[in-house]
Amino acid sequence: SQGLTIHQTWELMMGGNRNTSDAQLKFLLQVLQATADSNGDAQVVYPLLADNTDKINPRLAELFRDWATTKLAEVKPDEAENIAAVIVEFSNLIQQFPLGDKASNSSIAITGYEVALTVFTREAFPEYWATTQHNLGIAYLHRITGQKGQNLEEAIACLQLALAVFTREDFPEQWAMTQNNLGIAYSERITGEKAQNLENAIACYELALEVRTSQAFPEQWATTQHNLGSAYRNRITGQKAQNLEDAIACYQLALEVRTRKAFPYDWASTQNNLGIAYRNRITGQKAQNLEQAIACYQLALEVRTSQAFPEQWAMTQNNLGIAYSDRITGQKAQNQEEAIACYQLALAVYTREAFPEQWAMAQFNLGRAYGNRITGPKAQNLENAIPCFQLALEVHTRDAFPVDWASTQKNLGRAYYYRITGEKRQNIENAIACYQLALEVHTREAFPIDWASTQFNLGITYRNRITGQKAQNLEKAIACYQLALEVRTSQAFPEKWASTQNNLGNAYYERIKGPKAQNIEEAIACYQQALRVYTFKAFPIDWAETKYNLSIAYRNRIKGEKAQNIELAKAYFQEALKVRTFEDSTQD
């Protein structure tokens, strides 16, 4: 500070601008004066900002940079230090200001930090330089304008620079804080390999926890445990089941400190994320895990209300909808209705203008729920589903969100396949086109499970295709099923393997090319393979359907004794009648 008084600092800042006619510049100087006079007291500065939110826009950031750069170049070094200190205080305040345009708030803060760093160099002011680099990194981390990927790269670079001064030995608390924030940046990073970025994030959080212990810094320890839980939940390296167990453990540790009474907002955030981990959990009973997920989301919504935290409320409503969509306990029809209601609530906040990515995600989820809906006319439900997927694709483009785009194309294909309204022939062609588009991203190498699922769906669609030569369509169906079985093995995915074997059997039974007798033998072999998994006890409906298919195949079998084949056909048919009537195979 070099001993200058607040009044002297203010006089230096005003300079020749005291009588300016520019309202925004006057406001900027006024708020800087308030920051200097109050030593950065939010209770003094925030009311002034709240009364002038109309002036907090991108032009203010430009004025701020021009004025500050000019002013700092005009004054003496000690005077520049005082002005730069006020600029940093103001930047800290506006970065955390909860009102107005968040994008403008962030841009103004970044401007202030960058200008201040021309004064607070590493050589002259190492600690202050590191603090400002850290805060600049946080501002880039939360920046809305500009390219998200580039903002995160800037954040990582700033935080790494801060660590050059904030070493564990000299500044353990600041080092741990910066490691935690660097972990957040790596978790969200777009550039580079996702798997490696998450490994970097985990390493940063674990380093932070060496200082942020539950005894010494309980609140910060809980924050880092929460963040570490999210990194484990999304981790690609290692066993997925174990990663999710690690995530659950971290969230539960965080909740030991993040109680509803002491930290309601953080408690709700951790409950929401714990719900996600339980929803995706592999260990334990799926039905019970989903019930725990639903319970966590409902707890989170006790704090995350639409009035107090609309964005977080919408997020949890969307997550709750997914859990209801997947729910095993209770009535399937009612669960789907609950899911639809949740998604519609989320979309009350997630508008395309304000939250385009979240809006597209909720539209996608709503489309899936309508596609699986039991209540109401099936035709209308599918008509509701199709525009949801089409709306999602307006944001989830192939260039911007290739994985989401492919998933939406796949689900849109499924909706077209089952569509009742319109020409069946055209609906099937639309379905095939969607699946083929999905396979451009869902390759075997990158997404083997999705690739196999889409190949399976294509097989069903080709088998029922109206356009083209029936014989050629069946050949394509058989090829799709065989490709799917390269991933859907009996060891890795027994239920999916059995479903694909059953459908491959259907295609062989209907096959036109090749000797009919051999095709029927291939069909019988596929059905018998499916029955290795489809037991009466475990999958009674699928077991009955496959028994029925076997009865048809044996009734028309060419090889073997005719009388023996008929007896087997009757026996399989009688067994099948124990369970159900028969429908077409369903798609994934």
Side-chain angles (χ1 to χ4, degrees), residues 477-550:
I478 289 168
C480 287
Y481 292 137
Q482 288 172 332
L483 286 171
L485 287 168
E486 293 177 8
V487 171
R488 292 181 157 191
T489 63
S490 58
Q491 296 78 22
F493 305 98
E495 188 177 349
K496 299 289 187 184
W497 173 81
S499 175
T500 309
Q501 288 288 358
N502 184 64
N503 282 280
L504 180 57
N506 292 339
Y508 272 125
Y509 177 78
E510 296 173 7
R511 194 182 195 190
I512 297 168
K513 290 189 177 183
K516 185 66 176 175
Q518 184 56 39
N519 287 336
I520 291 176
E521 293 306 302
E522 294 283 1
I524 289 170
C526 289
Y527 297 141
Q528 289 171 334
Q529 288 279 63
L531 288 170
R532 289 170 50 193
V533 173
Y534 284 163
T535 63
F536 176 76
K537 184 177 180 181
F539 302 97
I541 294 174
D542 298 308
W543 172 86
E545 182 179 321
T546 308
K547 289 282 185 177
Y548 175 76
N549 291 341
L550 268 173

Side-chain angles (χ1 to χ4, degrees), residues 46 156 164 169 238 265 317 356 416 584:
Y46 279 180
I156 290 168
E169 295 73 24
Y265 181 86
Q317 288 289 359
Y416 274 124
D584 288 338

